[in-house]
Amino acid sequence: QVQLVESGGGLVQAGGSLRLSCATSGSILSINAMGWYRQAPGKQRELVATTTSSSTNYADSVKGRFTISRDNAKNTLYLQMNSLKPEDTAVYYCNLVDGYWYNRREYWGQGTQVTVSS
């Protein structure tokens, strides 16, 4: 019922910037947390950044370069990526955790490709 659609990926040169968006729709009970994850070819999916109502968390590899934010009015999650590096190349996925305890449900977007050239 809940759907997440990522957009904003593309090809960018090292040192450049990109902003990813995650549009949400459907019947969301209560947002527990939202975040961005990424997966490079031949590697496992890893956490990039997460946000709750009171905190944010970033992977050490992106601290100081990436910023996660949310526009509640537009039901959209963003990831501003600056000073991009070739190692940031991956498919980026939006994640939403809805509800708590036995009402907890998790949703994922289809992913958007980010390629950083050296």
Side-chain angles (χ1 to χ4, degrees), residues 32-44:
N32 182 325
M34 294 192 75
W36 289 95
Y37 293 73
R38 67 186 183 187
Q39 185 168 26
K43 299 179 64 178
Q44 65 185 58

Side-chain angles (χ1 to χ4, degrees), residues 33-94:
M34 294 192 75
W36 289 95
Y37 293 73
R38 67 186 183 187
Q39 185 168 26
K43 299 179 64 178
Q44 65 185 58
R45 187 175 299 184
E46 64 177 350
L47 181 150
V48 176
T50 59
T51 182
T52 66
S53 61
S54 60
S55 66
T56 56
N57 179 247
Y58 296 91
D60 288 341
S61 61
V62 307
K63 286 182 179 178
R65 300 189 298 120
F66 291 11
T67 302
I68 188 170
S69 62
R70 187 169 70 196
D71 186 333
N72 187 252
K74 296 182 179 179
N75 298 313
T76 303
L77 181 73
Y78 301 97
L79 182 67
Q80 179 64 48
M81 306 185 293
N82 298 325
S83 302
L84 284 162
K85 305 174 180 179
E87 50 262 45
D88 293 319
T89 295
V91 175
Y92 284 69
Y93 297 91
C94 179

